[in-house]
Amino acid sequence: MSTWLRKRRCGFVMGGRAHRSPLTGRRSLSPIHVWAIVVSFPCASVTTAVKEHGSCTAITSVSMLVAWRDALGQADQGQDQGHHQHHPSFDHHTSEIDVDMFMLGVYLPDDPLHRPSVFLTSSVPSVTVDDLFPGRVYEFRTRRHNSTLPSRVWGWGNWSTPWSCRTATLPLGAPAQIWAPGPVASDTISVKWIWPSEQTHPNLPDHHRHHRQTISILVRWSWSHGTRAAHRPTGNALGGTTTIAAQDEPTLQIVGLAPASTYRVTVGASDAVRLRTSAAGIVHTEVFRVSEGTHDIDLLENHNSGDRLGEASFLTDSSNFPVPWQIMRTNPCAAALNRTSCTPRGGAACETCLHNAWQESSGLRQRCSDPAVQWPLDNKVVEAWCGTAFKFFDWEATPISKYCVARRIPDDAPSGFVEYASCNAPEASVVHNSPTNPVCICTCYADRVIGMQPPGNVVPHCGAIQKASSFIYPQCNCTNNSVLLPLNSPSRNWTGALPVFCPYFYYLIPQTKYALKSPCGTWFSHPRGGSCLSPDPRHPRDLFAGGCTWLRLPKGMVVFGDDLLRAGWDRALSYDDRTGTHLDTTNQTLRNANALDRAYSARTRRAGLSPRCCGC
């Protein structure tokens, strides 16, 4: 049934086009389609958790140092970003796995599906967790990555059994929350706080909540440490104090600070909060990505991502997912299919049965498609009913992750980005791409038309397309009839960008002028060649010294489909369910971008975390 590649950034588990021979009437699958079926969700199964014993030290009301065993059972010595603390040894066990990266997950205690809300990666078995709430219990799990595997999306071990730790209680005279609203700057830190209330701390004694009635608040800051590019500062950049009038929800900007540095900031009697300045020449970009074909958290290398609106554009395209059961229950076509003798969710046999019923019943054709059509080219309801619909996104288990990427800007890129590369695409199968070792290639055809590029940007690389209804996506070449990027291409090492336009994937053939066209975010490419954590995160390259071009910061946030639905996500079909034709989803995409924001904010609050701007 599937005709069009389900499109986002040429992502990997995409249904290829199904052909039907005009002589035999049989359908044959393109190699892309066959390959996509084979690799779909190889890591979706759940296996036994690894037993883990963790510890939490250096506990304050807003942070703690969390440590666990390394792969060989050795206790970590608690070194993390300037912290030096000894931990009691754990029970030793042996392992043959050479671990190059650890992941710590922070879990919601009330999530029956046991899914992380926050993850932090580290090359050593310890990490400081910031932005916590006072007097709250947090649940942690860890997992390890095998260094012998080529991709850090795949090959992670099972999550460990959980352990819990509690933060210290709120000090008298301290705000309930302190956070950095941003944006990050090289010489300034913005600080915001709120005082405890009956809503935020219902069990707190009254004298805590009324302590803010003092006339003024003392804010302190002190330089903690900097990167290798930073020197020990002097004067106000080394530390200082300021007094401001007490307010319910004030914001303070601390200026004149040293770049590329971490500061310890206290407000009133609060425990210190670690906040950071950026380095000169380094920009921070917040990006989002839904994991494709796996339930593992993606770590970006040789993959694509989007900004908030760009990711919402893709996630709104419901042709990437089966028709939701809520729609199937009331859909006239589904009701007509229920009256046939065919077996629902019967796969290929179901489609063969329906093919025969389709030819015999004009009523079925009337309810499901154009009555004159002998077999629908792209009917999503039929696909969902037979269980053959394309799917790489599971609304419960697939993570949609938010990251912060620090990156350098190339000298000859006025936009701040180089040309976008399509990563992990089915079109890259000709150069031995696999989801376990993804390859980035020159921008593929679908990404070019999603970006509403003019024919002059498409035809020289991909050839001319005449009819949208009768072709397989063409191969787009960059070098000598090959999809591979030139060896000297900046896209091999620098972050690329592709402007996305709405209506999303509305045009299938490039137009000289697009009648409907409005900006709908940006997609990014993250080549492994420029990653500071490649080839070995245990020995990262130096972003500040120019040894690499981009760095994924250790902390990320995660939401899932049910979070989106609770936040008001609009799952209305983005296509005509009879013909598969894409609809104008511009307004739906804009609404869903706001829902994505609300989903992250809500899960952050449920997880007991204060917000923090990218890079702060």
Side-chain angles (χ1 to χ4, degrees):
M1 294 292 299
S2 302
T3 58
W4 291 105
L5 290 173
R6 309 297 188 245
K7 192 57 224 131
R8 180 269 203 154
R9 302 187 286 256
C10 299
F12 89 89
V13 276
M14 299 184 179
R17 183 175 180 181
H19 309 283
R20 188 158 66 90
S21 166
L23 298 178
T24 65
R26 294 178 181 176
R27 295 164 58 250
S28 61
L29 297 178
S30 70
I32 292 177
H33 197 160
V34 174
W35 172 80
I37 292 173
V38 170
V39 301
S40 180
F41 286 101
C43 293
S45 60
V46 178
T47 52
T48 305
V50 177
K51 187 176 181 180
E52 185 65 274
H53 301 284
S55 71
C56 302
T57 58
I59 296 174
T60 73
S61 63
V62 293
S63 66
M64 61 179 68
L65 179 61
V66 182
W68 57 95
R69 296 175 302 185
D70 65 17
L72 299 178
Q74 304 298 317
D76 175 61
Q77 296 303 305
Q79 299 182 20
D80 172 65
Q81 302 184 38
H83 293 274
H84 300 274
Q85 180 121 7
H86 180 71
H87 298 286
S89 62
F90 300 107
D91 294 334
H92 292 285
H93 72 289
T94 58
S95 172
E96 297 179 357
I97 297 176
D98 181 30
V99 175
D100 62 359
M101 186 175 284
F102 299 91
M103 183 180 291
L104 176 73
V106 184
Y107 282 74
L108 290 176
D110 58 349
D111 185 350
L113 297 175
H114 306 294
R115 303 167 303 182
S117 296
V118 177
F119 65 91
L120 298 100
T121 58
S122 175
S123 60
V124 296
S126 66
V127 65
T128 294
V129 184
D130 291 304
D131 307 323
L132 304 178
F133 282 9
R136 176 154 176 162
V137 174
Y138 291 87
E139 180 179 295
F140 302 107
R141 299 172 188 245
T142 61
R143 64 194 314 200
R144 299 168 171 84
H145 184 265
N146 188 338
S147 67
T148 63
L149 298 174
S151 170
R152 293 184 186 93
V153 175
W154 306 84
W156 284 91
N158 301 324
W159 286 106
S160 71
T161 53
W163 75 94
S164 299
C165 300
R166 183 188 293 272
T167 51
T169 57
L170 183 70
L172 179 65
Q177 282 182 264
I178 305 172
W179 69 94
V184 65
S186 61
D187 62 352
T188 303
I189 286 177
S190 297
V191 187
K192 194 170 185 176
W193 62 90
I194 59 174
W195 294 100
S197 65
E198 187 66 35
Q199 288 72 35
T200 61
H201 291 76
N203 299 318
L204 200 66
D206 286 343
H207 62 276
H208 275 263
R209 287 197 291 270
H210 296 301
H211 194 83
R212 69 177 186 274
Q213 300 302 328
T214 54
I215 297 175
S216 60
I217 300 298
L218 183 66
V219 179
R220 300 180 179 86
W221 63 93
S222 61
W223 186 83
S224 173
H225 60 277
T227 66
R228 280 174 284 181
H231 302 286
R232 184 177 178 84
T234 59
N236 184 74
L238 181 62
T241 63
T242 189
T243 301
I244 67 170
Q247 304 171 48
D248 283 342
E249 195 172 340
T251 299
L252 172 69
Q253 285 196 329
I254 306 173
V255 300
L257 303 180
S261 295
T262 297
Y263 283 83
R264 296 168 62 84
V265 178
T266 62
V267 178
S270 76
D271 290 319
V273 176
R274 298 190 306 168
L275 301 175
R276 301 172 183 87
T277 56
S278 62
I282 303 296
V283 297
H284 292 81
T285 305
E286 186 175 76
V287 303
F288 301 78
R289 178 175 170 85
V290 57
S291 295
E292 297 177 6
T294 177
H295 292 158
D296 276 348
I297 294 170
D298 197 308
L299 295 181
L300 293 183
E301 289 187 2
N302 269 16
H303 275 163
N304 301 118
S305 68
D307 62 9
R308 179 184 68 97
L309 186 52
E311 197 68 7
S313 298
F314 164 65
L315 290 171
T316 299
D317 180 16
S318 55
S319 65
N320 283 303
F321 325 116
V323 179
W325 66 268
Q326 296 94 330
I327 295 177
M328 291 291 287
R329 286 196 310 177
T330 59
N331 184 270
C333 177
L337 298 176
N338 288 334
R339 290 192 289 270
T340 68
S341 60
C342 303
T343 304
R345 306 197 63 80
C350 171
E351 287 197 357
T352 300
C353 178
L354 284 181
H355 183 270
N356 296 329
W358 201 272
Q359 297 184 33
E360 297 170 0
S361 172
S362 60
L364 182 61
R365 295 196 300 271
Q366 178 71 41
R367 289 171 175 79
C368 292
S369 186
D370 181 346
V373 174
Q374 292 301 305
W375 184 242
L377 290 175
D378 204 10
N379 187 294
K380 306 298 190 302
V381 173
V382 172
E383 293 173 4
W385 198 83
C386 283
T388 57
F390 170 80
K391 172 184 178 181
F392 72 66
F393 182 83
D394 183 323
W395 277 89
E396 284 189 348
T398 304
I400 307 163
S401 304
K402 178 170 69 173
Y403 320 80
C404 181
V405 172
R407 59 185 182 87
R408 294 193 289 122
I409 298 178
D411 294 333
D412 54 352
S415 69
F417 298 94
V418 300
E419 186 176 359
Y420 176 87
S422 298
C423 301
N424 201 26
E427 294 88 338
S429 60
V430 296
V431 289
H432 310 295
N433 176 82
S434 76
T436 58
N437 190 18
V439 176
C440 293
I441 60 174
C442 60
T443 313
C444 69
Y445 181 85
D447 289 352
R448 292 175 189 265
V449 295
I450 288 172
M452 295 193 189
Q453 295 183 357
N457 286 22
V458 181
V459 174
H461 299 285
C462 317
I465 302 300
Q466 302 300 327
K467 290 183 64 179
S469 60
S470 60
F471 76 97
I472 302 174
Y473 288 147
Q475 175 174 304
C476 298
N477 299 317
C478 295
T479 54
N480 299 325
N481 200 35
S482 171
V483 299
L484 287 174
L485 296 164
L487 293 177
N488 63 349
S489 171
S491 302
R492 286 178 172 266
N493 294 292
W494 295 84
T495 303
L498 175 77
V500 176
F501 293 93
C502 284
Y504 178 86
F505 209 17
Y506 190 73
Y507 300 96
L508 302 181
I509 294 179
Q511 311 287 312
T512 303
K513 182 177 181 180
Y514 293 90
L516 299 176
K517 183 178 181 181
S518 61
C520 262
T522 304
W523 287 350
F524 307 103
S525 52
H526 306 281
R528 184 184 296 158
S531 170
C532 300
L533 299 178
S534 185
D536 189 342
R538 293 168 294 190
H539 306 286
R541 295 184 286 171
D542 193 337
L543 178 67
F544 306 99
C548 50
T549 66
W550 67 275
L551 172 67
R552 176 190 55 78
L553 300 190
K555 181 181 177 181
M557 297 289 300
V558 187
V559 297
F560 300 87
D562 57 325
D563 295 305
L564 298 183
L565 295 177
R566 278 192 295 269
W569 187 271
D570 183 356
R571 286 194 75 183
L573 299 183
S574 61
Y575 51 80
D576 185 319
D577 63 352
R578 292 160 58 89
T579 66
T581 303
H582 275 73
L583 306 176
D584 183 348
T585 58
T586 303
N587 292 332
Q588 183 183 5
T589 298
L590 296 174
R591 291 194 301 271
N592 283 345
N594 292 330
L596 187 63
D597 270 347
R598 291 193 297 269
Y600 276 104
S601 296
R603 196 168 182 94
T604 298
R605 289 193 300 270
R606 290 177 62 204
L609 295 164
S610 297
R612 178 182 291 253
C613 81
C614 176
C616 292

